[in-house]
Amino acid sequence: QVQLVESGGGLVQPGGSLRLSCAASGFTLDYYAIGWFRQAPGKEREGVSCISSSDGDTYYADSVKGRFTISRDNAKKMVYLQMNSLKPEDTAVYYCARDPTPWRACRVVVGLYDYWGQGTQVTVSS
């Protein structure tokens, strides 16, 4: 069955870096866009970044542009989110998710995605 498993979260000081990983199984990763989302306590889930399947086009929310980088390794069935210059406001549970439509250009719209991972906590604090 389709599964997405996030890892790499943790506690980091402001200005630090983390690399999140999303391991995909049960489907051909090459065909699908993957998105990263986050949810802070008391807030709605929001889109952070996504990467398309065919051409690898990427999208970033304004709040993370220039600091975060999304990438994918289809051979390893992995999607990554490199997060640099982290800020306290980046604290949240981070999720990866799959767009259900093959070959579609990615968009970070929460309701668009069908399968979600369990999330990984990222805490930015001194």
Side-chain angles (χ1 to χ4, degrees):
Q1 70 277 22
V2 173
Q3 274 196 322
L4 297 166
V5 179
E6 303 94 338
S7 61
L11 172 63
V12 63
Q13 292 187 340
S17 298
L18 282 175
R19 186 199 197 201
L20 304 185
S21 299
C22 173
S25 61
F27 66 101
T28 303
L29 179 62
D30 314 44
Y31 297 171
Y32 298 92
I34 299 293
W36 281 99
F37 299 81
R38 66 186 181 186
Q39 189 165 18
K43 294 189 176 181
E44 292 187 356
R45 192 169 297 189
E46 63 174 357
V48 174
S49 180
C50 66
I51 184 165
S52 295
S53 56
S54 54
D55 54 12
D57 271 355
T58 57
Y59 167 87
Y60 298 94
D62 287 342
S63 57
V64 306
K65 204 171 292 183
R67 302 188 297 122
F68 290 12
T69 303
I70 190 170
S71 61
R72 64 193 295 156
D73 185 334
N74 290 333
K76 294 183 178 179
K77 304 199 76 172
M78 298 291 293
V79 179
Y80 305 100
L81 186 69
Q82 178 67 44
M83 307 187 297
N84 298 329
S85 302
L86 283 161
K87 304 175 181 180
E89 51 263 43
D90 295 317
T91 295
V93 178
Y94 283 71
Y95 302 88
C96 62
R98 189 193 78 162
D99 183 329
T101 302
W103 308 116
R104 180 163 61 183
C106 79
R107 291 178 290 162
V108 282
V109 177
V110 173
L112 203 59
Y113 290 74
D114 59 353
Y115 286 96
W116 294 76
Q118 82 290 348
T120 185
Q121 176 71 47
V122 171
T123 302
V124 184
S125 174
S126 54

